Amino acid sequence: MASASPRLGCLSKVAALALLLAAGAALSRLAERRDALHGASAPAAEGVLTQRPNPEALASSGDFVLTPERESGLFAQLVAGDQAWVPRAEPIPGGGTRYVYQKRPDDQPLTLEQIKALMRDPPTFAMEQSVIRQLLSQMRHSGVTVLLGPPRKQGAAGEWDPARGVLRIRPDIPSKGSREFVRVLNHEAIHVAQSCRNGALSAHPKLLGLSRQVQGAARRHLQEPLYRNSSALERALEEEAYANQDNLQLGVWLITAHCRVG
């Protein structure tokens, strides 16, 4: 499953991968590749966890499995990426000061007072980081291998491959900060739950019955070439994930409700 995120952040892709190299050993190569799938009711747990190989065996040579031991490297990247969202003051040659800050596509421009308030009391993104930890833990317990690695569909920020039980997130996404990363991870968690809703983690995703009313930047993402050749079902699955990706408590709840813990 695929999702999209703006190209923002302060770490290069090389630096991001270097942090994870320090956190763990190089991973084994897997030659076999399969096509990946891109992209509220209150049901009982019904997904079936199938026997899967060691997560390291599902990774290619350039991939980094987000094991518990490697989470410290991931969060170091996220914290560094979060710093790019803190406004900064720059002196103007000849006198004066200008304030520079990053703005997400649907955010309103900040006033000078708001900018100064953010500089005095920068956001911590503690809630987003807590949700990331919960999602990673719950998906691992359900048999999902979460890794940083390039999705096979160009332009995708994330990708869920139910046939292999692998959830990929593009390696540069952590450098964009906690808020961008958790949105991508939550989007893909919804896709994982869609598979479990159809009876098994490895099943083709099935709609969960959530809202599919997509707004703002998410609607624009669905117009990108990435989704141009999607079937009607694939598009509906993406609409469901995009419409609910900002509800950060939903992904954990859906995984818990639909995917059995092994």
Side-chain angles (χ1 to χ4, degrees):
M1 299 291 178
S3 54
S5 179
R7 293 181 59 87
L8 296 171
C10 63
L11 290 180
S12 67
K13 187 182 296 184
V14 173
L17 293 179
L19 279 169
L20 286 177
L21 278 170
L27 304 176
S28 59
R29 179 185 298 272
L30 182 69
E32 179 185 7
R33 307 297 291 251
R34 298 184 185 178
D35 290 337
L37 297 171
H38 298 275
S41 55
E46 57 187 8
V48 178
L49 175 62
T50 58
Q51 187 67 32
R52 297 193 179 277
N54 187 305
E56 301 284 343
L58 294 169
S60 300
S61 60
D63 296 335
F64 296 89
V65 178
L66 292 175
T67 60
E69 296 75 19
R70 289 180 174 174
E71 280 192 17
S72 61
L74 169 66
F75 282 94
Q77 295 177 61
L78 295 174
V79 169
D82 290 339
Q83 294 303 308
W85 295 98
V86 179
R88 65 184 186 274
E90 296 181 347
I92 299 174
T97 303
R98 65 182 175 188
Y99 295 87
V100 180
Y101 69 100
Q102 294 190 128
K103 186 176 79 68
R104 294 176 176 85
D106 292 329
D107 288 350
Q108 295 297 316
L110 298 177
T111 66
L112 181 58
E113 185 54 42
Q114 288 172 327
I115 290 172
K116 290 182 177 181
L118 282 173
M119 294 175 67
R120 290 192 302 267
D121 186 20
T124 64
F125 300 100
M127 184 271 287
E128 288 86 351
Q129 292 172 15
S130 175
V131 171
I132 290 168
R133 289 187 173 91
Q134 292 176 55
L135 281 169
L136 290 175
S137 175
Q138 194 64 32
M139 285 195 283
R140 285 192 204 105
H141 289 163
S142 297
V144 178
T145 297
V146 184
L147 56 80
L148 297 183
R152 276 164 274 176
K153 265 203 169 185
Q154 188 173 5
E159 180 178 83
W160 165 234
D161 183 352
R164 297 174 64 222
V166 172
L167 191 162
R168 291 176 168 273
I169 296 181
R170 206 171 65 214
D172 66 308
I173 299 300
S175 70
K176 301 177 188 300
S178 301
R179 186 167 297 171
E180 304 304 318
F181 186 86
V182 74
R183 181 177 293 157
V184 174
L185 186 62
N186 197 46
H187 179 110
E188 299 307 326
I190 294 170
H191 287 317
V192 172
Q194 288 170 339
S195 286
C196 293
R197 183 73 175 92
N198 206 17
L201 192 68
S202 59
H204 190 84
K206 176 181 179 181
L207 288 170
L208 295 160
L210 306 175
S211 169
R212 289 165 48 197
Q213 297 299 312
V214 182
Q215 306 294 331
R219 179 180 292 277
R220 293 191 292 275
H221 289 321
L222 280 171
Q223 305 305 316
E224 294 176 354
L226 175 65
Y227 302 108
R228 185 170 296 156
N229 297 319
S230 298
S231 67
L233 175 58
E234 288 170 341
R235 188 168 185 84
L237 292 166
E238 288 297 341
E239 288 172 350
E240 190 171 60
Y242 270 117
N244 296 281
Q245 66 182 13
D246 290 327
N247 182 350
L248 298 185
Q249 304 304 318
L250 184 62
V252 173
W253 184 86
L254 288 172
I255 297 294
T256 303
H258 293 284
C259 301
R260 286 183 183 166
V261 176

